[in-house]
Amino acid sequence: MRVDQLDRGRRAYARREWGEAYASIAAAGAEAALPPEDLFRLATSAMLLGRDGEADDLLAASYRGFLGDARPDRASRCAFWAGMSLLNRGQAARGAGWLSLAQRLVDAGAGEVERAYLAVATARQAMLAGSDAAAGSGDADRAGELAAAALETGERAGDRDLTALARLTLGAWDVMRGRSARGLATLDEVMVDVTTGGVSAVPAGIVYCAVIELCTASMDLPRAREWTTALTRWCDAQPDLVLFRGECLVNRARLMRLRGSWDDALAEAGRAVTRLSDPPGQRGAGEAWYELGEVLRLRGDLEEAEAAYRSADVHGYEPQPGLSLLRLAQGRTTDAAAAVRRVRAEAGPHAAVPLLAAAAEILLADGDLDGAARAAAELAAVRGGTGGMLTALADRAAGEVLLAQGRARAALEPLRRSWAAWVRLDVPYEVARARLLLARAGCAVGDEDGARLELESACQAFERLGAGPDLAVARADLGRLAPGVPRVVGLTDREVEVLRLVATGRTNRAIAAELFLSEKTVARHLSNIFDKLDLPSRAAATAYAYEHGLVRA
């Protein structure tokens, strides 16, 4: 009976039927001690089923079994995977301990391939330490060299798992060093290897998730879409799979949101939260909560979005820039600006692109034109000569700043480029936002007919998406284009509102209360009005407003 169960488990393992493999091998092990190779199979099955604690114990048992059989190479491999699993779950001390055991075996002569596996781990740890720390440490400076040497060893030994991990590390290192084109090309190579089925399940899952994460960080939406589709197929082919499935759901939810399928994105993000919350402590739970918050915020479900962002924070995921954008939507502009300034300061010169884009938008709303211009300039510097999402965000920020500076005609060119990029990428929400900005620029240069067409298209898109807050803004802009409603060339819509209220005799405090702004923000808007219209005082601004029909006597 035991032999039948063990054979059944081994066959299920080969077919990647993890539930059956685990049950059969475990049943065989209940009758008599398992060989270390079968303990390793049982440990891998437990890991893929999300049974992390059991997997840790089984890898330790397999490690001891291989040592007892005088197989230091296989014992080293067990120690490597035990260490990597623990590191991925945030247990740095235990993970480092296992890798030290593996290193000891390698130093005692465990083998060249095992040494290459550890070289991959060393390079990975250096990169995770951050680019600033990595640049100053010996191993980190050699991360690319270590990965390249491991890749050569893996190819020479015909070890496809090692080859995949080394190539992944090499590509990731190039991306982190600013060589995105070369790095992404390397990642494409490793994905071809993984998708053809020649890589074991655990390293394959690591590669899938890491490549998609790197494509997302590089703002390469087409690649992220393509590889997320491949990851979905891979997960679906293994119905018992728990490990990696949660991350797959998060990636799918993000792409659904960008594609404009917000109901589907909300459902997928909810499934990701459920999957990654039980058992607790899973890597990716915070990101799942954050993605849920993003969809809720865009739909205008602000209280629910705040709860989701708070849950992301509880699970160790920085809820920015989403939380700052939520504060902006709530009318808490000063809080939004303070938060985004803090996060940018902490990020230093390596602020993420989404944070820089949000900072430009939020600081403009707060009246900090200089701060917004700096964020836009950083975005332009990051963009370099690349295209795609990064270019679209950088051009939008540049156009927003030019528009706020009263240079509407100059703003039209980057705003049109941004619109065209979002159209190519098929991101309908951002297409509609670009139309809204194009309408404001067009109106500022006197093209009210063109502005009306842009706003009508934006309203239709926001309504289809269910973007309630943005729809209200677009409709308000459209209402201001009605015949007889005066406008002032060079001023933003918010500045016109402030000017009108100044002309009615309201104080900065009263204006702030009426427009849900801080007094500091009102003062900044008023300073911008004085500069743009060359006015010396509130009295002169009041006279200007009456002369131009903004208020009636």
Side-chain angles (χ1 to χ4, degrees):
M1 177 67 75
R2 178 180 181 274
V3 173
D4 290 342
Q5 287 175 324
L6 199 52
D7 286 344
R8 187 181 306 116
R10 290 168 177 169
R11 289 194 298 271
Y13 184 90
R15 295 192 301 269
R16 300 195 173 190
E17 295 173 357
W18 309 118
E20 175 63 26
Y22 176 86
S24 296
I25 298 174
E31 297 182 17
L34 291 169
E37 201 68 62
D38 287 309
L39 283 170
F40 185 80
R41 291 188 181 98
L42 187 58
T44 302
S45 300
M47 190 186 303
L48 292 165
L49 291 168
R51 301 169 178 261
D52 292 329
E54 291 180 44
D56 293 342
D57 293 341
L58 289 164
L59 281 171
S62 180
Y63 167 82
R64 291 190 298 270
F66 281 124
L67 283 182
D69 288 350
R71 293 288 308 279
D73 55 338
R74 295 295 293 139
S76 175
R77 192 75 59 87
C78 285
F80 170 82
W81 283 116
M84 292 294 285
S85 175
L86 288 162
L87 289 173
N88 284 336
R89 284 148 45 203
Q91 298 185 39
R94 290 179 65 198
W98 274 109
L99 292 179
S100 293
L101 287 175
Q103 185 67 58
R104 187 176 300 175
L105 290 169
V106 165
D107 291 342
E112 182 186 23
V113 170
E114 277 59 46
R115 186 179 298 279
Y117 271 99
L118 283 174
V120 169
T122 300
R124 173 188 178 279
Q125 287 176 297
M127 290 191 293
L128 287 177
S131 56
D132 287 340
S137 64
D139 278 343
D141 286 338
R142 295 176 54 234
E145 178 185 334
L146 288 167
L151 176 59
E152 182 181 345
T153 299
E155 290 178 333
R156 186 169 59 252
D159 189 320
R160 297 184 70 176
D161 289 355
L162 173 58
T163 299
L165 292 173
R167 189 170 276 129
L168 168 67
T169 306
L170 192 60
W173 182 246
D174 276 333
V175 170
M176 291 183 67
R177 301 292 277 187
R179 298 185 288 264
S180 293
R182 189 170 87 178
L184 290 171
T186 301
L187 296 177
D188 286 344
E189 290 181 36
V190 70
M191 288 302 292
V192 169
D193 201 25
V194 166
T195 54
T196 55
V199 178
S200 300
V202 174
I206 290 171
V207 168
Y208 270 118
C209 292
V211 168
I212 292 167
E213 185 176 340
L214 286 162
C215 289
T216 301
S218 300
M219 311 301 285
D220 193 327
L221 182 55
R223 269 191 174 91
R225 281 174 171 159
E226 182 174 348
W227 296 131
T228 297
T229 300
L231 173 59
T232 300
R233 287 197 300 265
W234 185 77
C235 287
D236 289 347
Q238 304 167 81
D240 299 334
L241 188 69
V242 172
L243 188 65
F244 308 121
R245 191 175 291 278
E247 288 91 336
C248 177
L249 292 171
V250 173
N251 289 322
R252 280 169 52 83
R254 182 186 299 113
L255 294 178
M256 288 172 177
R257 170 172 58 83
L258 292 171
R259 197 168 56 235
S261 304
W262 288 359
D263 288 343
D264 292 339
L266 195 64
E268 201 78 343
R271 282 191 284 272
V273 164
T274 300
R275 171 75 68 159
L276 291 166
S277 297
D278 185 20
Q282 293 186 67
R283 180 178 178 269
E287 189 176 5
W289 278 110
Y290 182 83
E291 188 55 41
L292 185 64
E294 289 287 89
V295 184
L296 290 167
R297 174 178 61 82
L298 293 173
R299 287 162 54 108
D301 301 326
L302 303 187
E303 289 185 11
E304 294 91 336
E306 176 147 3
Y309 288 134
R310 290 189 181 280
S311 292
D313 186 60
V314 166
H315 286 84
Y317 192 86
E318 172 63 71
Q320 297 289 357
L323 186 57
S324 291
L325 291 168
L326 174 67
R327 293 285 177 257
L328 183 63
Q330 291 169 329
R332 297 169 57 181
T333 309
T334 300
D335 291 339
V340 85
R341 288 189 186 100
R342 172 189 65 80
V343 179
R344 279 192 69 206
E346 291 173 357
H350 304 291
V353 167
L355 177 63
L356 292 173
E361 179 181 353
I362 291 167
L363 295 177
L364 280 177
D366 193 45
D368 183 2
L369 189 53
D370 289 341
R374 285 193 295 272
E378 285 182 49
L379 259 180
V382 172
R383 175 184 66 182
T386 62
M389 284 182 69
L390 216 159
T391 294
L393 289 168
D395 281 332
R396 184 183 75 198
E400 286 177 309
V401 169
L402 288 168
L403 195 54
Q405 290 171 337
R407 301 166 61 192
R409 196 168 297 281
L412 284 168
E413 183 178 350
L415 290 177
R416 286 189 183 116
R417 287 200 304 266
S418 180
W419 169 83
W422 290 123
V423 169
R424 287 194 300 272
L425 291 167
D426 189 23
V427 184
Y429 173 72
E430 295 295 351
V431 170
R433 289 191 71 200
R435 286 188 181 278
L436 183 62
L437 291 169
L438 280 168
R440 291 175 178 174
C443 195
V445 300
D447 183 15
E448 293 195 358
D449 197 37
R452 186 175 290 105
L453 291 174
E454 295 284 11
L455 284 171
E456 287 171 352
S457 294
C459 285
Q460 291 170 7
F462 288 140
E463 190 166 13
R464 282 195 304 270
L465 289 165
D470 293 279
L471 178 59
V473 170
R475 283 176 172 168
D477 279 14
L478 193 57
R480 282 189 283 271
L481 280 177
V485 176
R487 296 185 60 82
V488 180
V489 173
L491 297 189
T492 67
D493 292 334
R494 181 64 86 186
E495 288 165 354
V496 170
E497 288 179 306
V498 170
L499 179 55
R500 282 197 183 106
L501 293 173
V502 166
T504 64
R506 287 175 173 80
T507 63
N508 282 12
R509 177 175 294 182
I511 295 170
E514 185 159 342
L515 297 180
F516 300 100
L517 301 173
S518 69
E519 289 186 59
K520 181 181 175 183
T521 300
V522 172
R524 283 179 178 165
H525 284 312
L526 192 55
S527 176
N528 289 339
I529 291 167
F530 290 163
D531 289 343
K532 290 178 180 181
L533 301 181
D534 195 22
L535 298 172
S537 64
R538 295 176 80 96
T542 299
Y544 184 98
Y546 276 98
E547 289 170 6
H548 290 79
L550 296 178
V551 291
R552 300 189 184 281

